[in-house]
């Protein structure tokens, strides 16, 4: 069994990105990222802080637009329009989830697709589905980069994606399909999840449920990617896979933390640098 070390790979990527950022500086460009953070959700605040720190070390100028949870949809839209017009900002991301009175789709659709470094805008989603270039959501993109770094080619593999959200499972499915894997996608209404995971060479899980994937659900020698982030009652961060028991059966597995999480941030930085290069 080999660990897929996302932490180490993301550190290497950040060093490369810092060099690219310096090259842009020489041309008078400082890559810029605007983050919209609404409300005081603790996890969202932590993620935004991590993104801010990563921008700092890569030479990306970041600005956080922090807003109270009572803010109106119109006001958020106004700020997005302002960011869209700002020539010094290359990327914009809206930290999700948003409060219930805000229509998330309307907010995402307001982002200029050229600045949509999270890849959530329907324009970029459509390009991904069509196998065209565009911004790809950072988490599934990070998974693809991790596989590539370990010379794991999805072509011809039976892949099973567990979790079908717009930001994780669905783009993951499309990326794997574009890479010629045969993809099964499962969600909360899937009958007999084990039947699907058991026959997969590559299992990618992003649900948010501790120990959803157990030893009996994984075939010998499978590759297992755990996207889930859960906090246990003891305050420990774990994924969706019963790591202790599943890992010995795998050829490769990601740890949590230190697997997909750091790759997500690295891909956000990379998307922002690319946006600045396209300025
Ligand atoms: P979500 O709640 O939007 O979607 C969850 C998906 O899981 C849904 O498609 C749902 O149908 C499916 N699901 C729920 N229960 C299931 C079950 N018992 N069996 C099969 N499928 C089931 O969540 P999300 O935003 O996609 O995030 C999923 C997980 O990934 C969370 O733990 C989140 O914290 C984590 N996440 C991690 C990163 C990272 O960088 N590592 C990034 C984004 C999300």
């Amino acid at each position: 069994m080999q660990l897929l070390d996302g932490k180490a790979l993301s550190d290497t990527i950040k060093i490369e990105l810092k060099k690219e950022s310096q090259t842009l500086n020489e041309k008078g460009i400082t890559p810029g990222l605007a983050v919209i953070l609404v409300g005081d959700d603790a996890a969202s605040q932590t993620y935004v802080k991590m993104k801010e720190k990563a921008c700092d070390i890569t030479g990306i100028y970041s600005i956080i637009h922090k807003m109270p949870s009572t803010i109106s949809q119109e006001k958020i839209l106004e700020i997005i329009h302002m960011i869209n017009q700002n020539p010094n900002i290359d990327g914009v991301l809206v930290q999700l989830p948003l409060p219930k009175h805000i229509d998330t789709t309307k907010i995402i659709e307001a982002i200029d697709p050229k600045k949509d470094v999270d890849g959530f805008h329907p324009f970029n989603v459509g390009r991904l589905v069509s196998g065209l270039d565009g911004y790809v959501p950072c988490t599934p993109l990070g998974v693809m980069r991790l596989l590539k770094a370990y010379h794991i080619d999805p072509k011809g593999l039976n892949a099973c994606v567990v979790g079908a959200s717009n930001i994780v499972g669905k783009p993951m499915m499309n990326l794997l399909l574009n890479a010629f894997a045969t993809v099964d996608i499962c969600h909360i209404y899937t009958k007999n999840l084990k039947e699907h995971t058991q026959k997969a060479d590559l299992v990618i899980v992003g649900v948010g449920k501790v120990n959803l994937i157990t030893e009996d659900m994984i075939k010998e020698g499978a590759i297992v990617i755990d996207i889930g982030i859960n906090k246990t009652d003891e305050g420990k961060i774990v994924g969706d896979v019963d790591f202790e028991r599943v890992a010995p059966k795998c050829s490769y597995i990601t740890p949590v933390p230190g697997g997909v999480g750091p790759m997500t941030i690295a891909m956000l930085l990379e998307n922002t640098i690319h946006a600045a290069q396209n300025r």
Side-chain angles (χ1 to χ4, degrees), residues 47 139 162-169 186-190 193 205-209 212 226-230 240 260-262 264-265:
Y47 294 141
T139 300
V162 186
S165 69
N166 286 341
I167 63 171
V168 176
C186 304
H187 46 76
I188 191 149
Y189 298 111
T190 298
L193 181 61
V205 196
V207 168
K209 197 161 183 271
L212 176 71
D226 192 352
I227 297 175
I229 302 176
N230 308 289
D240 293 344
V260 178
T264 297
I265 295 191

Side-chain angles (χ1 to χ4, degrees), residues 81-140:
H81 291 314
M82 195 182 77
I83 298 169
N84 284 344
Q85 307 295 322
N86 186 340
N88 296 317
I89 296 294
D90 302 287
V92 46
L93 79 82
V94 178
Q95 187 64 44
L96 301 179
L98 291 171
K100 285 199 169 56
H101 67 282
I102 310 283
D103 181 344
T104 303
T105 306
K106 278 222 165 69
I107 298 294
I108 289 171
E109 281 178 342
I111 298 170
D112 179 345
K114 291 196 284 302
K115 297 191 178 190
D116 173 37
V117 286
D118 250 346
F120 296 162
H121 191 287
F123 176 85
N124 286 312
V125 175
R127 291 190 67 86
L128 171 62
V129 172
S130 307
L132 301 170
D133 283 347
Y135 291 110
V136 173
C138 304
T139 300

Side-chain angles (χ1 to χ4, degrees), residues 48-109:
V48 168
K49 272 206 190 92
M50 287 162 77
K51 289 168 187 175
E52 197 178 10
K53 194 172 155 214
C55 281
D56 268 358
I57 60 170
T58 323
I60 295 173
Y61 159 76
S62 67
I63 178 160
I64 318 293
H65 294 271
K66 211 163 178 287
M67 300 165 205
S69 57
T70 50
I71 196 158
S72 69
Q73 181 165 302
E74 285 62 37
K75 189 69 198 164
I76 305 178
L77 289 172
E78 216 175 89
I79 291 165
I80 292 177
H81 291 314
M82 195 182 77
I83 298 169
N84 284 344
Q85 307 295 322
N86 186 340
N88 296 317
I89 296 294
D90 302 287
V92 46
L93 79 82
V94 178
Q95 187 64 44
L96 301 179
L98 291 171
K100 285 199 169 56
H101 67 282
I102 310 283
D103 181 344
T104 303
T105 306
K106 278 222 165 69
I107 298 294
I108 289 171
E109 281 178 342

Side-chain angles (χ1 to χ4, degrees), residues 4-277:
L4 297 169
D5 189 343
K7 170 75 177 70
L9 178 58
S10 71
D11 287 343
T12 309
I13 292 172
K14 280 187 222 163
I15 293 169
E16 281 308 309
L17 291 175
K18 188 165 184 179
K19 285 187 203 150
E20 291 189 34
S21 183
Q22 281 161 350
T23 307
L24 283 164
N25 290 163
E26 283 157 20
K27 295 177 186 159
I29 295 171
T30 302
L33 175 72
V35 178
I36 293 179
L37 174 62
V38 185
D40 42 23
D41 177 70
S44 292
Q45 297 206 13
T46 307
Y47 294 141
V48 168
K49 272 206 190 92
M50 287 162 77
K51 289 168 187 175
E52 197 178 10
K53 194 172 155 214
C55 281
D56 268 358
I57 60 170
T58 323
I60 295 173
Y61 159 76
S62 67
I63 178 160
I64 318 293
H65 294 271
K66 211 163 178 287
M67 300 165 205
S69 57
T70 50
I71 196 158
S72 69
Q73 181 165 302
E74 285 62 37
K75 189 69 198 164
I76 305 178
L77 289 172
E78 216 175 89
I79 291 165
I80 292 177
H81 291 314
M82 195 182 77
I83 298 169
N84 284 344
Q85 307 295 322
N86 186 340
N88 296 317
I89 296 294
D90 302 287
V92 46
L93 79 82
V94 178
Q95 187 64 44
L96 301 179
L98 291 171
K100 285 199 169 56
H101 67 282
I102 310 283
D103 181 344
T104 303
T105 306
K106 278 222 165 69
I107 298 294
I108 289 171
E109 281 178 342
I111 298 170
D112 179 345
K114 291 196 284 302
K115 297 191 178 190
D116 173 37
V117 286
D118 250 346
F120 296 162
H121 191 287
F123 176 85
N124 286 312
V125 175
R127 291 190 67 86
L128 171 62
V129 172
S130 307
L132 301 170
D133 283 347
Y135 291 110
V136 173
C138 304
T139 300
L141 184 61
V143 171
M144 296 305 280
R145 285 293 291 277
L146 197 51
L147 293 174
K148 191 169 178 201
Y150 284 84
H151 309 290
I152 299 167
D153 184 357
K155 191 193 279 179
L157 295 185
N158 288 326
C160 179
V161 178
V162 186
S165 69
N166 286 341
I167 63 171
V168 176
K170 285 186 205 164
M172 190 73 253
M173 173 195 75
N174 282 300
L175 284 168
L176 289 168
L177 197 55
N178 292 347
F180 306 109
T182 301
V183 193
D184 227 3
I185 182 153
C186 304
H187 46 76
I188 191 149
Y189 298 111
T190 298
K191 290 178 195 151
N192 201 349
L193 181 61
K194 184 172 158 179
E195 220 172 70
H196 296 267
T197 57
Q198 234 174 11
K199 61 177 199 281
D201 308 306
L202 170 62
V203 178
I204 304 188
V205 196
V207 168
K209 197 161 183 271
V210 181
N211 289 342
L212 176 71
I213 304 298
T214 49
E215 181 192 357
D216 55 315
M217 297 169 79
I218 297 296
K219 80 169 177 186
E220 203 68 47
I223 302 154
V224 174
I225 309 286
D226 192 352
I227 297 175
I229 302 176
N230 308 289
K231 206 171 188 177
T232 64
D233 294 341
E234 296 79 42
K236 205 176 152 208
I237 299 294
V238 297
D240 293 344
V241 176
D242 179 1
F243 185 88
E244 293 293 313
R245 290 185 182 80
V246 170
K249 285 186 89 174
C250 299
S251 53
Y252 296 91
I253 187 167
T254 54
V256 178
V260 178
M263 289 303 297
T264 297
I265 295 191
M267 294 301 98
L268 170 69
L269 303 171
E270 189 173 274
N271 280 351
T272 306
I273 300 273
H274 286 165
Q277 286 165 338

